[in-house]
Amino acid sequence: MTAAELRIGVIGAGAMGSDHIKRITRRISGARVSAVVEPDETRAQTAVQNAPGAQAFGRIEDALEAGAVDAVLIATPGFLHEAVLLPALEAKLPILCEKPLTPDPESSWRVLEAEQASGARRIQVGFMRRFDPEYRQLRELVSAGTAGELLMVRAAHRNASVPEQYQQDMLITDSVVHELDVLPWLAGAELRSLEVKLPRRNSLTPERLQEPILVLMELSNGVLVDLEMNVSVQFGYQVTTEAVFESGVARIGENAGLQLWQAGRTGTGVDADFTTRFATAYDEQVQRWVDAARAGLAGTGSFVDGPDAWDGYRVAVACQQGVKALHAPGTRVEVELPERPAFYR
Amino acid sequence: MTAAELRIGVIGAGAMGSDHIKRITRRISGARVSAVVEPDETRAQTAVQNAPGAQAFGRIEDALEAGAVDAVLIATPGFLHEAVLLPALEAKLPILCEKPLTPDPESSWRVLEAEQASGARRIQVGFMRRFDPEYRQLRELVSAGTAGELLMVRAAHRNASVPEQYQQDMLITDSVVHELDVLPWLAGAELRSLEVKLPRRNSLTPERLQEPILVLMELSNGVLVDLEMNVSVQFGYQVTTEAVFESGVARIGENAGLQLWQAGRTGTGVDADFTTRFATAYDEQVQRWVDAARAGLAGTGSFVDGPDAWDGYRVAVACQQGVKALHAPGTRVEVELPERPAFYR
Amino acid sequence: MTAAELRIGVIGAGAMGSDHIKRITRRISGARVSAVVEPDETRAQTAVQNAPGAQAFGRIEDALEAGAVDAVLIATPGFLHEAVLLPALEAKLPILCEKPLTPDPESSWRVLEAEQASGARRIQVGFMRRFDPEYRQLRELVSAGTAGELLMVRAAHRNASVPEQYQQDMLITDSVVHELDVLPWLAGAELRSLEVKLPRRNSLTPERLQEPILVLMELSNGVLVDLEMNVSVQFGYQVTTEAVFESGVARIGENAGLQLWQAGRTGTGVDADFTTRFATAYDEQVQRWVDAARAGLAGTGSFVDGPDAWDGYRVAVACQQGVKALHAPGTRVEVELPERPAFYR
Amino acid sequence: MTAAELRIGVIGAGAMGSDHIKRITRRISGARVSAVVEPDETRAQTAVQNAPGAQAFGRIEDALEAGAVDAVLIATPGFLHEAVLLPALEAKLPILCEKPLTPDPESSWRVLEAEQASGARRIQVGFMRRFDPEYRQLRELVSAGTAGELLMVRAAHRNASVPEQYQQDMLITDSVVHELDVLPWLAGAELRSLEVKLPRRNSLTPERLQEPILVLMELSNGVLVDLEMNVSVQFGYQVTTEAVFESGVARIGENAGLQLWQAGRTGTGVDADFTTRFATAYDEQVQRWVDAARAGLAGTGSFVDGPDAWDGYRVAVACQQGVKALHAPGTRVEVELPERPAFYR
């Protein structure tokens, strides 16, 4: 299947780009990082070490010319996006572009024109919240209409703190930008207006910032959004969305799945079986074993990273005694093991 | 890096084996399914279709002889494990063996002997709960000792229902078996005794079963476990563990992370930043885009499976107006879009 | 103590007045209802039957003239308050007046003048939320400052539905009125401005209403409030308040006490001992026993409404056997009772 | 209504007795404390001061002879109960006796005989959990059968710590005693056997105690109970009960009402209207006002303990402006108050 494996060029190897490189290399199937485009050589070298088989390039044009990529993932700062998008479109490559597409409507429009000229929709924008299971569940509830029409959305986007380079306008362009995409998507409507209200300023926020802010949005279907944007909340990271429907209220973002108030009760769903409850555990188990097996075969480590055969034996003894206990309710059955062979210590 | 990629032979292509094949193919890095060993030809063919590049074999010996695998993952019924483990050990392969290692202590002991003869620990057993993030958090709490010593474990293992082939002894050998491994691991101690108590029987359980049962376990460090094993609970799947410490109580398994009662309060942790809150969303986004990009390049689908460039443009307009609103608090700023090009409809 | 017992005249015997009559008669110490002022004779008679020893009057002036009351509780419709407040002030009585004081500032001002003329503050207004334990806890958090200054309040006031007489302006005068009192009280500041935003209308609300609404309030200390007022939410009754502080967020109103997000965790308090956990149970127990004892003495019922002496005996036997079990861990001790005497069946 | 008011003699004025004296005096209607029987004179005097109109007696016989009581509430240590119960029965008084009835079955049986000789059931025993709203809800769920038959009860009774006089046997006679009454009551069955298991000992418990303990109980209908009794849990007080039914699980005791797992969901009820949500607030409001009014009339304090007329005026202004804002959506309406009269500062 090597033929069909997608060779991705990651453009930009900062925090976001590095994260995507690890993701593609470790958790994504059908793709690998074949090129890293990054002018900073130190960053480029580090990135390439995390992506076996990848080449480093200083400019996207060089990577394209070398025929080194089937697709590009753009993770540079937003003001550089256009300069990468245009040659990538010209090369007719599939593109995943971190948000924002570009920092202003004029440059975004030029990108749209270039994409149309390329003959196909090739650009996907990295508004990743649309892929969050809770947002998807909430959107299904909107579509299904089982709680009536959506009337209001009451949202909060809270960061513990922000880095030094974070400026006032980034409250909108870097943070609220997520809600500007996902809330209309959730509500199935277009954004019609925006308004900002200023609450009391947080004295713990950097001097250059005036926040939190309250952002009011009107959508084309009449839905009203009030969003608290707060980047100095200190306690942690939280993105909550409360959707007010005609006959119920739903909330996501509090680590408990979709919580629904309806018909005199409030609650959440329960796992149906082990496949959801232990999904992460199964993946983690197999990944760790694969890593250990490779290390073992390469002679650089143990073959096992988890319960070993001695654990298997121990449990076999326990099961045998457990079955005895099951057949003699109320009787205490002892569990004794032979001495553990030195091999397993 | 093809050289180092682990070629896995999956032995058994039933429900569990198929699930592992999909996992290795879709979500695990550094490995691929190179062989499927399955006597049932229909199953074998289906399995192979889900694992591009894999070959089907009827017997493990054939796969070994063909040099088709670097490692094996055993997912046959437990009574067949020994017959697969022994040749795999002889071939000195890394092995991930679904639980149980084997169904009884005698055969497990034979496996231990064969592994020792092979010169290295090569077998990992599939007690996947040890990789569950909540169990790991709870184990860290036990080790850290910040709530004092562990005194009791109060557990529940509840299935909505069980399939036709599920027999009474499987309450222990198929279900409690998980706790027989994970609870001693959690408590850092050996199992010393087992006792079963019979509550009132659930009239909704199949006639052949007498359950739920209460299983009492004593561990070598004095920790007492009382485990409810319940396979007809109807409402869903739930595995909860309440750990009673000297100065606090912790609970996992209710879809809320590790809940801790300590010093007059009860609560759970909060995400530190977006990397944990939206981890799934990032992975899902990139995987979907990779799949779409490959389909687009192959001419069998669209390049995009998510927000497209028009969404990017739309948000650029919204951001521009949002920044205006931010600079004029209390003023409603309209958002207007040009007509959407037909290309993007 | 009869001398000091407060003789209350309840003015108005509609739903609210009747509820107060029951409250004073059944749960309030140091007071009794001595008079009910209600022009509707049927209502008046019913009310008097629930308040042993109370007299019915058609007009407050008659009750005052008869010297029948030490204090008045006003529960008439708001537009009648002034007409009752003025003579009560003239008689220098303590007054508890259901909200609103009066329906408009002019009449309220006249009441203030009359009260000042009376020489002492005698009027308490029925904004009962200030006495809710959760609001009080939240206010203490504001005062204590342990989560920093209060910045925003995000509130929701949701009713399942409203009665026929509920009109559009009552969204403010009957419903939001509570928050108009309690939120400034909570924040320790004065209200400075109000603004209403209209979300999509709920099609399930009566035709005469346009709701839900979003009410924005600015307080004198810069705190911004966004309040969802919703009277057709169908699912039940809910009043939630989320207070955004500089270094934490607190929420009340979801039947879980004050939930606090701070320093990487979220949680609630735990009972310190049985006096809070079982406060209601103790009161209910004694009240039921008092009622039963009076019925028993009057020959109209049993002396007991709860566990009886047989239950006491039964538990004495269980305790005896329990102590035996405690002294012989791991031994099942049977509990046998003599035949239950016919007297206790 | 003086005639029918129940004159209660409280026997024993220790912690429990004092609490009951306050309860009867402050929160119970139709009764008052007319006598306190307490040999310790200091205690007796303190108690009498909290119960206006009550007389102190050294022995119950004196109180009976004086005709001072219609009923007695017994709150002495358990070993003294019999000596009080017998004369009270002879006097044919209604009795509320704190748990236990007496400390052993023999003395309890003598009490039963005396009660039968008195001709009527006159004794109620203070197992107050039966009056807890959550236990009642859970019992209704058992009776209703909507989750099938009850199969198991998994309970925990946790105290932060215990006082010096608490001895090992009191784990049963003072603590588990509550569950010995309430769990059979909940399950609708008799207790059939008891067994104690000893987990690891808590090193933080007093040296004289070996705890926590696990108590197993079998009920006559086959229901199995496993109860953790823990009196050094440090973090607070907690009594939880998890009821395992045939098609669901219910839990009470975690400050969230009755939580139910059934049919793929878990959740709790929601308030139907303000009468439940703000029940405490209404009572507290009126009690505080009554206390203030009495203090005001007696010249020993203010007439008001809560929002005053100025608050009423302030809200009248806010409502007026709020209605304006409602009629002009999107317009910020200012709220201005005249200077606050000195009278109201």
Side-chain angles (χ1 to χ4, degrees):
Chain A
M1 160 175 171
T2 309
E5 197 177 42
L6 192 72
R7 296 173 309 142
I8 300 175
V10 174
I11 320 298
M16 207 69 218
S18 304
D19 192 47
H20 279 304
I21 290 168
K22 272 186 226 150
R23 174 171 295 111
I24 295 166
T25 306
R26 300 288 300 175
R27 290 195 300 278
I28 299 301
S29 74
R32 63 183 177 90
V33 177
S34 58
V36 174
V37 175
E38 169 61 58
D40 180 310
E41 280 203 25
T42 316
R43 275 190 179 177
Q45 283 318 309
T46 309
V48 160
Q49 278 158 22
N50 285 320
Q55 281 178 273
F57 295 91
R59 304 182 321 135
I60 184 170
E61 288 80 1
D62 301 337
L64 297 178
E65 204 160 303
V69 302
D70 301 324
V72 295
L73 190 163
I74 303 177
T76 64
F79 72 92
L80 296 173
H81 284 185
E82 186 182 6
V84 178
L85 284 162
L86 297 181
L89 282 173
E90 196 152 348
K92 295 192 186 296
L93 298 185
I95 301 164
L96 177 56
C97 180
E98 265 301 320
K99 57 93 193 166
L101 179 60
T102 71
D104 59 83
E106 294 69 28
S107 53
S108 284
W109 189 258
R110 286 193 297 269
V111 170
L112 291 194
E113 288 179 332
E115 189 180 34
Q116 292 174 70
S118 88
R121 290 192 307 144
R122 293 171 205 282
I123 303 173
Q124 182 165 327
V125 182
F127 294 118
M128 88 295 170
R129 287 196 193 169
R130 297 198 193 183
F131 301 96
D132 175 63
E134 294 190 359
Y135 273 109
R136 296 184 89 89
Q137 265 187 284
L138 185 52
R139 191 172 188 244
E140 277 161 32
L141 186 61
V142 173
S143 309
T146 48
E149 296 291 330
L150 179 65
L151 306 177
M152 305 176 69
V153 175
R154 312 199 64 201
H157 181 155
R158 294 164 178 156
N159 290 72
S161 61
V162 280
E164 263 187 48
Q165 69 271 22
Y166 195 96
Q167 299 298 328
Q168 180 72 3
D169 286 2
M170 293 169 78
L171 285 166
I172 302 297
T173 58
D174 207 61
S175 298
V176 174
V177 63
H178 282 293
E179 278 85 6
L180 292 176
D181 176 67
V182 83
L183 294 180
W185 170 81
L186 197 71
E190 294 284 345
L191 177 66
R192 278 292 173 257
S193 77
L194 286 152
E195 183 175 346
V196 170
K197 299 280 186 184
L198 299 182
R200 191 170 186 174
R201 184 177 172 277
N202 189 344
S203 69
L204 304 175
T205 204
E207 281 207 14
R208 65 188 181 278
L209 301 182
Q210 160 74 48
E211 59 92 27
I213 60 173
L214 185 75
V215 184
L216 298 162
M217 305 182 204
E218 294 168 325
L219 305 189
S220 55
N221 58 356
V223 168
L224 181 70
V225 176
D226 57 329
L227 163 70
E228 171 196 341
M229 185 67 237
N230 195 327
V231 298
S232 307
V233 81
Q234 315 293 324
F235 70 77
Y237 178 75
Q238 190 184 38
V239 174
T240 65
T241 308
E242 201 166 307
V244 181
F245 292 90
E246 292 186 311
S247 63
V249 169
R251 183 163 63 204
I252 60 170
E254 300 200 356
N255 288 336
L258 186 147
Q259 187 179 3
L260 183 63
W261 284 258
Q262 200 172 19
R265 293 190 63 76
T266 177
T268 58
V270 172
D271 285 309
D273 59 34
F274 66 93
T275 57
T276 49
R277 170 64 185 89
F278 287 115
T280 303
Y282 275 107
D283 286 3
E284 182 76 8
Q285 170 190 248
V286 174
Q287 185 66 61
R288 285 185 176 233
W289 171 67
V290 163
D291 294 347
R294 293 169 75 189
L297 289 172
T300 60
S302 159
F303 289 96
V304 174
D305 180 9
D308 67 6
W310 174 255
D311 293 311
Y313 172 73
R314 183 155 44 183
V315 171
V317 173
C319 275
Q320 188 184 51
Q321 299 307 85
V323 169
K324 279 186 200 158
L326 179 65
H327 290 210
T331 309
R332 183 177 170 281
V333 177
E334 298 213 351
V335 177
E336 272 177 272
L337 291 175
E339 205 192 348
R340 188 172 182 152
F343 185 86
Y344 290 109
R345 271 173 222 157
Chain B
M1 163 177 171
T2 308
E5 197 177 40
L6 192 72
R7 297 173 308 142
I8 300 175
V10 174
I11 320 299
M16 206 71 219
S18 304
D19 192 46
H20 279 304
I21 289 168
K22 270 186 226 149
R23 174 172 296 109
I24 294 165
T25 306
R26 300 288 299 176
R27 290 195 299 280
I28 299 301
S29 73
R32 63 184 176 88
V33 178
S34 60
V36 174
V37 176
E38 169 61 56
D40 181 309
E41 281 203 24
T42 316
R43 276 190 178 174
Q45 283 318 311
T46 309
V48 160
Q49 279 158 21
N50 285 319
Q55 281 178 272
F57 295 91
R59 303 181 322 135
I60 182 169
E61 288 79 3
D62 300 337
L64 296 179
E65 206 161 301
V69 301
D70 300 325
V72 295
L73 190 164
I74 303 176
T76 64
F79 74 92
L80 296 173
H81 285 185
E82 186 182 5
V84 178
L85 284 162
L86 296 181
L89 283 172
E90 198 154 345
K92 296 190 185 296
L93 298 185
I95 300 162
L96 177 57
C97 179
E98 265 301 321
K99 56 94 192 164
L101 178 60
T102 71
D104 59 84
E106 294 68 30
S107 52
S108 284
W109 189 258
R110 286 193 298 269
V111 170
L112 290 192
E113 288 178 332
E115 189 180 35
Q116 292 174 69
S118 88
R121 290 192 308 143
R122 295 171 204 283
I123 302 172
Q124 181 164 330
V125 182
F127 294 118
M128 89 294 171
R129 287 197 193 167
R130 296 199 193 183
F131 300 97
D132 175 63
E134 294 191 359
Y135 273 109
R136 296 185 88 90
Q137 265 187 283
L138 185 51
R139 192 172 186 242
E140 278 162 30
L141 186 61
V142 173
S143 308
T146 48
E149 296 291 328
L150 179 66
L151 306 176
M152 304 177 68
V153 175
R154 312 199 65 200
H157 181 155
R158 294 164 177 155
N159 290 72
S161 61
V162 279
E164 263 188 48
Q165 70 270 24
Y166 195 96
Q167 299 298 327
Q168 180 74 2
D169 286 2
M170 293 169 78
L171 285 166
I172 303 295
T173 59
D174 207 62
S175 300
V176 174
V177 64
H178 281 293
E179 279 84 7
L180 291 176
D181 176 68
V182 84
L183 295 179
W185 170 82
L186 197 71
E190 293 284 345
L191 178 66
R192 279 292 174 256
S193 79
L194 286 153
E195 182 176 346
V196 170
K197 299 280 186 185
L198 298 182
R200 191 172 185 172
R201 184 178 173 278
N202 189 343
S203 70
L204 304 175
T205 204
E207 282 206 12
R208 65 189 181 278
L209 301 181
Q210 160 75 47
E211 60 92 28
I213 61 174
L214 185 76
V215 183
L216 298 161
M217 304 182 205
E218 295 167 326
L219 304 189
S220 54
N221 57 358
V223 168
L224 181 69
V225 176
D226 57 329
L227 162 70
E228 172 196 340
M229 185 67 238
N230 195 329
V231 299
S232 307
V233 81
Q234 313 294 325
F235 69 78
Y237 179 76
Q238 190 184 37
V239 174
T240 65
T241 308
E242 200 166 308
V244 181
F245 292 90
E246 291 186 313
S247 62
V249 169
R251 183 165 62 206
I252 60 170
E254 298 200 358
N255 288 336
L258 186 146
Q259 188 180 2
L260 183 63
W261 283 258
Q262 201 171 19
R265 294 189 62 75
T266 178
T268 59
V270 171
D271 285 308
D273 59 34
F274 67 92
T275 57
T276 49
R277 169 64 185 89
F278 287 116
T280 303
Y282 276 107
D283 285 4
E284 182 76 9
Q285 169 190 247
V286 175
Q287 185 65 61
R288 284 185 177 234
W289 171 66
V290 164
D291 294 348
R294 292 170 76 191
L297 289 173
T300 62
S302 159
F303 289 96
V304 174
D305 180 10
D308 67 6
W310 175 253
D311 293 311
Y313 172 75
R314 181 154 47 182
V315 171
V317 173
C319 275
Q320 187 184 53
Q321 299 306 86
V323 170
K324 279 186 201 159
L326 179 65
H327 289 210
T331 310
R332 183 178 171 280
V333 177
E334 298 214 353
V335 178
E336 271 178 271
L337 291 175
E339 205 191 348
R340 188 174 182 150
F343 185 86
Y344 289 109
R345 270 173 220 156
Chain C
M1 156 180 173
T2 308
E5 197 177 40
L6 192 73
R7 298 174 307 142
I8 300 175
V10 174
I11 321 299
M16 206 71 218
S18 303
D19 192 47
H20 279 304
I21 290 168
K22 272 187 226 149
R23 174 172 294 111
I24 294 165
T25 305
R26 300 289 299 175
R27 291 194 300 279
I28 299 300
S29 73
R32 63 183 177 90
V33 178
S34 59
V36 174
V37 176
E38 168 61 55
D40 180 310
E41 282 203 24
T42 317
R43 277 189 178 176
Q45 283 319 308
T46 310
V48 159
Q49 278 157 21
N50 285 321
Q55 282 179 270
F57 296 90
R59 304 182 321 135
I60 183 169
E61 288 79 2
D62 301 337
L64 297 179
E65 205 159 302
V69 302
D70 301 322
V72 295
L73 190 163
I74 303 176
T76 64
F79 73 92
L80 296 173
H81 284 185
E82 186 181 5
V84 179
L85 284 162
L86 296 182
L89 282 173
E90 197 153 347
K92 296 192 186 296
L93 298 185
I95 301 162
L96 176 57
C97 180
E98 265 301 320
K99 56 95 191 163
L101 179 60
T102 71
D104 59 84
E106 294 68 30
S107 51
S108 284
W109 189 258
R110 287 193 297 268
V111 170
L112 290 192
E113 288 179 330
E115 190 181 33
Q116 292 174 69
S118 88
R121 289 192 309 143
R122 295 171 203 282
I123 302 172
Q124 181 163 329
V125 183
F127 293 119
M128 89 293 171
R129 286 197 193 168
R130 296 198 193 185
F131 300 97
D132 175 63
E134 294 191 359
Y135 273 109
R136 296 184 89 89
Q137 266 186 283
L138 185 51
R139 191 171 187 243
E140 277 162 31
L141 187 60
V142 173
S143 308
T146 47
E149 295 291 330
L150 180 65
L151 307 176
M152 305 176 68
V153 175
R154 312 199 64 202
H157 181 156
R158 294 164 177 155
N159 290 72
S161 61
V162 280
E164 263 188 46
Q165 69 271 23
Y166 195 97
Q167 299 298 328
Q168 181 73 2
D169 286 3
M170 294 170 78
L171 285 166
I172 302 296
T173 59
D174 207 61
S175 299
V176 174
V177 64
H178 281 293
E179 278 85 7
L180 291 176
D181 176 67
V182 84
L183 294 179
W185 170 82
L186 197 71
E190 293 284 346
L191 179 66
R192 279 291 173 259
S193 78
L194 286 153
E195 182 175 346
V196 171
K197 299 280 186 184
L198 298 182
R200 189 171 186 173
R201 183 177 173 279
N202 188 344
S203 69
L204 304 175
T205 205
E207 281 207 12
R208 64 190 181 277
L209 301 181
Q210 159 75 47
E211 59 92 29
I213 61 173
L214 185 75
V215 183
L216 299 162
M217 304 182 204
E218 295 167 326
L219 305 188
S220 55
N221 58 358
V223 168
L224 181 70
V225 176
D226 56 329
L227 163 69
E228 171 195 341
M229 186 67 238
N230 195 329
V231 299
S232 306
V233 81
Q234 314 293 324
F235 70 78
Y237 179 75
Q238 190 184 37
V239 173
T240 66
T241 307
E242 200 167 307
V244 181
F245 292 90
E246 291 186 311
S247 62
V249 169
R251 184 164 62 203
I252 61 170
E254 299 199 358
N255 288 337
L258 186 146
Q259 187 179 5
L260 183 64
W261 283 258
Q262 201 171 19
R265 293 191 62 76
T266 177
T268 59
V270 172
D271 284 309
D273 59 34
F274 67 92
T275 57
T276 49
R277 170 63 185 88
F278 287 115
T280 302
Y282 276 107
D283 286 3
E284 181 76 9
Q285 169 189 248
V286 175
Q287 186 64 62
R288 285 185 176 233
W289 170 67
V290 164
D291 294 348
R294 293 169 75 190
L297 289 172
T300 60
S302 159
F303 290 95
V304 175
D305 180 9
D308 67 6
W310 175 253
D311 293 311
Y313 172 73
R314 181 155 47 183
V315 171
V317 173
C319 275
Q320 187 184 53
Q321 299 306 86
V323 170
K324 279 186 202 159
L326 179 64
H327 290 209
T331 309
R332 183 177 171 280
V333 176
E334 298 213 352
V335 178
E336 271 177 272
L337 290 174
E339 205 191 347
R340 187 173 183 152
F343 186 85
Y344 291 109
R345 270 173 222 157
Chain D
M1 159 180 171
T2 308
E5 196 176 40
L6 192 71
R7 296 173 309 142
I8 300 175
V10 174
I11 321 299
M16 206 71 218
S18 304
D19 192 47
H20 279 303
I21 290 169
K22 272 186 227 149
R23 174 172 296 110
I24 294 166
T25 305
R26 300 288 299 175
R27 291 195 299 280
I28 299 301
S29 73
R32 62 182 178 91
V33 178
S34 58
V36 174
V37 176
E38 168 62 57
D40 180 309
E41 281 203 23
T42 317
R43 274 191 180 176
Q45 285 317 310
T46 310
V48 159
Q49 278 158 21
N50 285 320
Q55 281 179 272
F57 296 90
R59 303 181 322 135
I60 182 169
E61 288 79 2
D62 301 337
L64 297 178
E65 206 160 302
V69 302
D70 301 325
V72 295
L73 190 164
I74 304 177
T76 64
F79 73 92
L80 296 173
H81 284 185
E82 186 182 5
V84 179
L85 284 162
L86 296 181
L89 282 173
E90 198 153 345
K92 295 192 186 295
L93 298 185
I95 301 163
L96 177 57
C97 180
E98 265 300 321
K99 57 93 193 164
L101 179 59
T102 71
D104 58 84
E106 293 69 30
S107 52
S108 284
W109 189 258
R110 287 194 297 268
V111 170
L112 291 193
E113 288 178 332
E115 190 180 35
Q116 292 173 70
S118 88
R121 291 193 307 143
R122 294 171 205 282
I123 303 172
Q124 181 165 329
V125 183
F127 293 118
M128 88 295 170
R129 287 196 193 168
R130 296 198 194 183
F131 300 97
D132 175 64
E134 295 190 0
Y135 273 109
R136 295 185 89 88
Q137 265 187 284
L138 185 52
R139 190 172 188 244
E140 277 162 32
L141 186 61
V142 173
S143 308
T146 47
E149 296 292 328
L150 179 65
L151 306 176
M152 306 176 69
V153 175
R154 312 199 66 201
H157 181 155
R158 294 163 177 156
N159 290 72
S161 61
V162 280
E164 263 187 47
Q165 69 271 22
Y166 195 96
Q167 299 298 327
Q168 180 74 3
D169 286 2
M170 294 169 77
L171 286 166
I172 302 296
T173 59
D174 207 62
S175 299
V176 174
V177 64
H178 281 293
E179 278 85 6
L180 291 176
D181 176 66
V182 84
L183 294 180
W185 170 82
L186 196 71
E190 294 284 345
L191 178 66
R192 280 292 174 255
S193 78
L194 286 152
E195 182 175 347
V196 170
K197 298 281 185 183
L198 298 182
R200 190 172 186 172
R201 183 178 172 278
N202 189 344
S203 69
L204 304 175
T205 204
E207 281 206 13
R208 66 189 181 278
L209 301 181
Q210 160 75 46
E211 59 93 27
I213 60 173
L214 185 76
V215 183
L216 298 162
M217 304 181 204
E218 294 168 325
L219 305 188
S220 54
N221 58 357
V223 168
L224 181 70
V225 176
D226 56 329
L227 162 70
E228 172 195 340
M229 185 67 238
N230 195 328
V231 298
S232 307
V233 81
Q234 314 292 325
F235 71 77
Y237 179 75
Q238 190 185 39
V239 174
T240 65
T241 308
E242 200 166 308
V244 180
F245 292 91
E246 292 186 311
S247 62
V249 169
R251 184 164 61 204
I252 60 170
E254 299 200 356
N255 289 336
L258 187 147
Q259 188 179 2
L260 184 63
W261 283 259
Q262 200 171 19
R265 293 191 63 75
T266 178
T268 59
V270 172
D271 284 309
D273 58 34
F274 67 93
T275 57
T276 50
R277 170 64 185 89
F278 287 115
T280 302
Y282 275 108
D283 286 3
E284 182 77 10
Q285 169 190 249
V286 175
Q287 186 65 62
R288 283 184 177 236
W289 171 67
V290 163
D291 294 348
R294 293 170 74 190
L297 289 173
T300 61
S302 159
F303 289 97
V304 174
D305 180 9
D308 67 5
W310 174 255
D311 293 311
Y313 172 73
R314 182 155 47 183
V315 171
V317 173
C319 274
Q320 188 183 53
Q321 299 305 86
V323 170
K324 278 187 200 157
L326 180 64
H327 290 211
T331 310
R332 182 177 171 282
V333 176
E334 298 213 351
V335 177
E336 272 177 273
L337 291 175
E339 205 191 349
R340 188 173 182 151
F343 185 87
Y344 290 108
R345 272 172 220 157

